[in-house]
Amino acid sequence: MTMNLLKQIAGSRLPVTFYRSEDIDQVRVLRATGLVIALVPSPSKPLSLAGPPSAAQVLAVTQKGREELAKFNYPESRPPRWRNRSPRFTARRRSNAASGPPPPSSARSLLQ
């Protein structure tokens, strides 16, 4: 689940804020392993490490985090779209190749 959250963070616009306690706990794990840079609230009862957390804010994905994402092929590498398209410009065959280049557009309007 933590890697899914890391994928979500990497695909989002940063900084990202999480409010659910499950998400905050996962952000703590990601921060402890050095995969993200995050601001995580300290527990309101430090002796028992308990208390309601308010929010966690992820500021960046570290280089180590990007390397972990690369192990899972994230983001998915796919060929660029432009390679699958047919060319827009195609050479037109002229019926009379000896006639030379076509006249400029201004000359064409005068001839009509």
Side-chain angles (χ1 to χ4, degrees):
M1 287 300 256
T2 306
M3 289 309 293
N4 290 335
L5 185 66
L6 183 60
K7 285 181 183 181
Q8 179 186 347
I9 292 168
S12 301
R13 190 174 202 160
L14 297 176
V16 180
T17 306
F18 295 97
Y19 297 99
R20 292 184 9 204
S21 60
E22 300 87 20
D23 293 337
I24 294 171
D25 291 338
Q26 290 181 9
V27 170
R28 279 193 179 108
V29 170
L30 290 172
R31 187 178 118 188
T33 57
L35 301 178
V36 296
I37 298 172
L39 301 173
V40 181
S42 60
S44 58
K45 298 177 185 175
L47 294 177
S48 63
L49 296 176
S54 56
Q57 188 174 36
V58 178
L59 304 175
V61 178
T62 64
Q63 182 64 34
K64 183 179 176 183
R66 297 204 183 279
E67 290 169 1
E68 285 296 316
L69 287 171
K71 290 179 184 176
F72 293 97
N73 290 331
Y74 184 84
E76 287 93 18
S77 58
R78 55 185 171 219
R81 290 184 179 177
W82 61 269
R83 290 190 182 180
N84 296 333
R85 293 184 183 166
S86 62
R88 290 185 185 176
F89 301 106
T90 58
R92 294 184 184 177
R93 291 186 179 181
R94 285 188 252 159
S95 60
N96 189 359
S99 66
S105 61
S106 60
R108 265 189 250 143
S109 64
L110 292 176
L111 293 175
Q112 294 174 355

